[in-house]
Amino acid sequence: MDLLPMIDPAQLPLIAVGCALLCGALLVVGFLLQALSGIIDLLLGILGALVDFLQAGPGAWLGCALAILALAACAGIAFLLIDAPSSCAAHPTNFCRWFGFIP
């Protein structure tokens, strides 16, 4: 079956524009799928690392847990030292006297 004689010559520019738009749309979809694949791969990598961290057992991540607790303790002490003088001025207690915030 020969389709070429059935095509109207006035429609040829529209067919060319349609093919060009289709190629452009395929390129855009290809780039978007690659970007989406990269983002999903990154999220799954982070999730996999978290799962590996939690499944490693107490020997492997105990040091990390202790480091996190030490950082939290340092942050708590820093907050206490920053907030203590103003709190001790308003409400003096033995704690304030022990650490020298009131004479």
Side-chain angles (χ1 to χ4, degrees), residues 40-52:
I40 290 174
D41 190 30
L42 178 68
L43 293 176
L44 288 178
I46 291 170
L47 183 64
L50 180 65
V51 168
D52 288 344

Side-chain angles (χ1 to χ4, degrees), residues 20-90:
L21 288 175
L22 184 61
C23 288
L26 288 176
L27 283 173
V28 169
V29 167
F31 285 126
L32 288 177
L33 285 177
Q34 279 186 336
L36 186 64
S37 172
I39 291 169
I40 290 174
D41 190 30
L42 178 68
L43 293 176
L44 288 178
I46 291 170
L47 183 64
L50 180 65
V51 168
D52 288 344
F53 175 74
L54 293 176
Q55 287 181 346
W61 58 271
L62 183 62
C64 289
L66 289 177
I68 291 170
L69 286 175
L71 288 173
C74 288
I77 290 170
F79 176 73
L80 178 68
L81 291 175
I82 290 171
D83 192 44
S86 62
S87 296
C88 288

